[in-house]
Structure formats: structure tokens, C-alpha cells
Amino acid sequence: MRPFIFDRAGDMASALQMGRATGRGERDAPVQYLAGGTTLIDLMKLDVLTPQRVVDISPLRATRDEITVGPQGLVLGAFASMAAVARHVGVVENYPAIAESLEQAASAQLRNMATLGGNVLQRTRCEYFRDTSWGACNKRDPGSGCTALKAVNRNHAVLGVSDACISQYPGDFGIALIALGADVTATSEKGERTFPFAKLHKAVDNTPHLETTLLPGEIITRFTIPAAAWTKRSAYVKVRDRASYEFAIASAAVAVELDGPNVRTCRIGLGGMAYTPWRAENAEQFLVGKPLTETTADAAAKLALQGAITHGDNDFKPELARRTLVRALLQVKAMDL
Ligand SMILES: Cc1cc2nc3c(=O)[nH]c(=O)nc-3n(C[C@H](O)[C@H](O)[C@H](O)COP(=O)(O)OP(=O)(O)OC[C@H]3O[C@@H](n4cnc5c(N)ncnc54)[C@H](O)[C@@H]3O)c2cc1C
Ligand code: SF4
């Protein structure tokens, strides 16, 4: 780890003033915010992130950690801990996909420490990104190439990828957020703005080193998940190499509103599969007006994986995702509400 200046911001105004040079997720951004620190410190120790200054924004936890379930939906302060949201009764009962995505992530210790804002901004676990002895990594060093294309790539993405980068978005909570149509609110010195969570992460394009659409210095302050008829019949199904303390190889967040045996509304997010949190709108539309059966769920899941691009070791992923999504859809159908 390199020497750096450590500052603590006592309130939002001083945080924004100190954080002007945070950039948009670039490796060489001179300033990084620290919330729970569970991923930032790792990446600094690995020399992947090399800030000259770290601004500790964890004092904001005291005032920006609200968890409110009401007519306006579910409002989550970005500084709430993963653990607090996962065990909140109102979230568990009304937004099970959100609670389950957080409960199945990381470990109990990490969930206590980590914040929601830090969670959605975590970096890929691509081993060639995290180990600087690998020379070629466009996300770490723009223009250097992509080692993963021709190396072991079992855990890499198959949707939304390009030859510039095939890394996988590793988070679980973001998959539930995209499925449930969440908004994110961010604050900068210019004020507050709210936009769809689906627009937070940038597509790969030719610039994998630019990860988000946040403005330099902007701080995520809130997530809002709309109140809707389908949030109660929702679930997060995660498949991983071991049953805890492990990232997803495949996951599905689904929410369904039924009209008798037929689907009135359906929302699907896929994890462990794509470059960004991924919503499968074609599969959602296919199911609307149809009975939810193993046959229709399977047809929808095949649509969701259309266009998947594999690179050898990850050839198994589209089939695993298909099975995971079918399981999730049949699981929410069977919920006794
Ligand atoms: C061993 C291990 C296993 C894990 N397993 C999983 C898993 O299975 N599923 C999963 O989803 N995650 C997993 N994680 C990731 C973990 O959930 C994240 O490390 C954690 O959520 C990050 O939150 P934090 O508050 O600690 O972020 P920090 O480390 O403090 O910050 C992360 C990044 O976000 C920026 N940032 C933080 N908060 C804000 C904000 N409000 N506004 C703007 N920028 C901000 C920081 O500058 C930094 O760049 C795992 C992590 C580890 C170490
Ligand atoms: S997949 Fe992306 S993060 Fe991994 S080596 Fe290639 S460019 Fe880097």
C-alpha cells in the first residue's frame, strides 16, 4: 500500500468539498471515498486503486441510514448497513428479493461493516484486474488489452461484454435493485439528482475503466424502490461454489404479479452473468399474459440468455443461468401470500 492522506468528513458539505477529485471509478482517481472500507482497502493494498487522499465519509452513517417502508415504496439510505436492511422486518415481508440479495452476500462481519452505497460501487472480482502482475487489463490500464479473453475465464460475464472487457459485475443487491425498478439519488455540490438505478453503471463500450455515470465527487445518498403489486412476490436465487461467503456464478432476482394463473407483470434481473446489473426485459414481456409454468418459464429463460457470448471456460454459464431463472420463477409462483 502506498502512503496517502486520510481525511474525515463530518458532514455532507465537507465530504463534497474534500471529494471533488473522486472521478468516476477510475483507478488513478486522486481521491477515494471510504464508507465501510471493505472493498476500497483491499484494492488499495493490492495497488489496484492508488488514491493520494482517502476521505472517510462513514460519519454520514449516523444520519443517512434510514430504512422506510411506506406508500412511496422502500427508501434506503445509502449508508445503511447491508445487515440492517437484510434483517428489517418491513423489507423481509414486502421486498423479499432485496432482503435475500443482501442476506446471501459476503459474510456476517462484512454485512455489518459494509454500506449499500459501497456495495453497488464494488469493483469486479476479475483476477487479472485485481492482480497487477498481469499486464493486460483495459479496466485497470486503458488500452493494455484484456488477459481474460484467452486465459482462465470461468467466472467471467457472457452478457453485455465486448473484446474490451468480459468482467462480471459481482454484486447481489444491484441485481434486486434493477429487477424492482429502483431509483438512485446522488448529491453533489450542485444539489441532488435522482435517476434510474439502471443508468448508474456504464455499458462496457471501449472504456471499461469508466464504470459509472456518477459525476466527480458525487455521493450516493439514497435508493428508492417503488411500491408495486409485485414486490411481495419476489425472490433472489443465488448459485455459488459454496453456500456462504461467496460471489454468485449465476443469480436471478424475480418479481411477479399474478392475475389468476396468468402473469400480469414480471420483472427479472440476472447476476453473475453480465458486465453490469442486467435486466431481461424480453423475457419479462414474453411471460406477460401467459400462465407461469415450467414450460413458459423455460422459454422465457432461453430468451433472457439470447445473445450470450462465451469464451471457453464459461461456456456452461448460459445453461446455468437458464436453470437458475426457471427455479426463481417457479419459487415465486409457489409463494403463499
Ligand atoms: C471476501 C468478500 C466477499 C464478498 N462477497 C460478496 C457477495 O457475495 N456479494 C456481494 O454483493 N458483495 C460481496 N462482497 C463485497 C462487499 O459487499 C462490498 O465490499 C461492500 O458492500 C462495499 O461496501 P463498503 O461500504 O465497505 O464500501 P467501500 O469499500 O467503503 O467503498 C467502495 C467504493 O465505493 C465508493 N463509495 C462508497 N460509498 C459511496 C457513496 N455513498 N457514494 C459514492 N461513492 C461511494 C468508495 O469510494 C469506493 O470506491 C464481498 C467482499 C469481500 C471482501
Ligand atoms: S475482463 Fe476486464 S477486468 Fe478482466 S482482464 Fe479483461 S479488461 Fe481487465
Side-chain angles (χ1 to χ4, degrees):
M1 193 186 269
R2 303 176 191 211
F4 60 91
I5 299 165
F6 183 80
D7 283 319
R8 177 160 290 150
D11 56 25
M12 181 60 77
S14 57
L16 292 172
Q17 196 264 329
M18 291 176 193
R20 281 179 187 149
T22 52
R24 291 181 296 168
E26 296 94 329
R27 178 195 184 210
D28 56 355
V31 177
Q32 287 283 341
Y33 288 132
L34 180 145
T38 61
T39 196
L40 175 69
I41 302 298
D42 274 3
L43 291 170
M44 287 173 65
K45 284 184 182 164
L46 292 168
D47 227 15
V48 173
L49 295 180
T50 54
Q52 295 148 27
R53 190 177 196 189
V54 171
V55 177
D56 178 10
I57 53 175
S58 63
L60 300 180
R61 295 183 87 136
T63 51
R64 308 252 174 193
D65 63 345
E66 68 173 306
I67 306 172
T68 315
V69 182
Q72 79 285 21
L74 170 62
V75 180
L76 299 171
F79 291 84
S81 73
M82 293 169 68
V85 179
R87 66 173 173 249
H88 188 280
V89 176
V91 182
V92 171
E93 287 180 356
N94 297 294
Y95 297 85
I98 296 283
E100 291 165 13
S101 72
L102 291 163
E103 182 62 28
Q104 295 177 53
S107 65
Q109 293 91 335
L110 285 161
R111 292 193 295 271
N112 281 334
M113 195 69 190
T115 63
L116 301 183
N119 184 279
V120 298
L121 295 176
Q122 63 181 287
R123 308 301 206 285
T124 181
R125 309 301 289 194
C126 170
E127 48 272 51
Y128 315 110
F129 171 74
R130 292 174 64 87
D131 180 345
T132 57
S133 66
W134 294 97
C137 174
N138 287 324
K139 194 178 270 302
R140 201 166 15 83
D141 293 308
S144 60
C146 171
T147 298
L149 289 174
K150 295 215 162 63
V152 174
N153 49 38
R154 173 180 183 269
N155 293 328
H156 285 70
V158 299
L159 294 167
V161 294
S162 79
D163 280 357
C165 182
I166 59 169
S167 70
Q168 155 192 329
Y169 176 78
D172 295 299
F173 175 54
I175 310 307
L177 288 178
I178 203 158
L180 298 186
D183 282 337
V184 54
T185 300
T187 303
S188 70
E189 288 185 303
K190 291 184 184 150
E192 201 176 81
R193 69 183 176 115
T194 297
F195 52 97
F197 176 74
K199 294 201 183 305
L200 176 63
H201 293 91
K202 278 172 52 55
V204 61
D205 299 325
N206 244 339
T207 53
H209 63 295
L210 301 178
E211 300 201 323
T212 76
T213 56
L214 287 177
L215 306 170
E218 227 171 8
I219 292 180
I220 296 180
T221 45
R222 201 163 60 242
F223 300 94
T224 309
I225 298 99
W230 29 269
T231 63
K232 267 195 171 203
R233 193 180 288 282
S234 72
Y236 186 72
V237 172
K238 177 171 176 178
V239 177
R240 44 191 162 167
D241 283 331
R242 57 183 178 198
S244 88
Y245 201 16
E246 189 54 276
F247 291 90
I249 317 177
S251 72
V254 299
V256 170
E257 181 191 3
L258 292 175
D259 178 11
N262 290 343
V263 174
R264 181 177 286 156
T265 317
C266 176
R267 312 281 306 210
I268 298 173
L270 293 179
M273 270 314 124
Y275 181 76
T276 55
W278 193 262
R279 189 169 153 211
E281 288 180 67
N282 53 353
E284 295 172 0
Q285 283 157 14
F286 172 82
L287 285 171
V288 171
K290 296 190 176 69
L292 187 50
T293 64
E294 191 161 352
T295 307
T296 57
D298 189 56
K302 282 182 179 137
L303 273 178
L305 273 301
Q306 250 178 13
I309 299 170
T310 61
H311 286 88
D313 297 330
N314 64 2
D315 288 350
F316 71 96
K317 278 204 158 189
E319 174 60 15
L320 183 62
R322 185 188 68 73
R323 294 181 190 205
T324 307
L325 179 51
V326 170
R327 198 168 111 200
L329 286 165
L330 297 180
Q331 185 175 315
V332 294
K333 179 191 175 187
M335 285 171 83
D336 188 15
L337 298 179

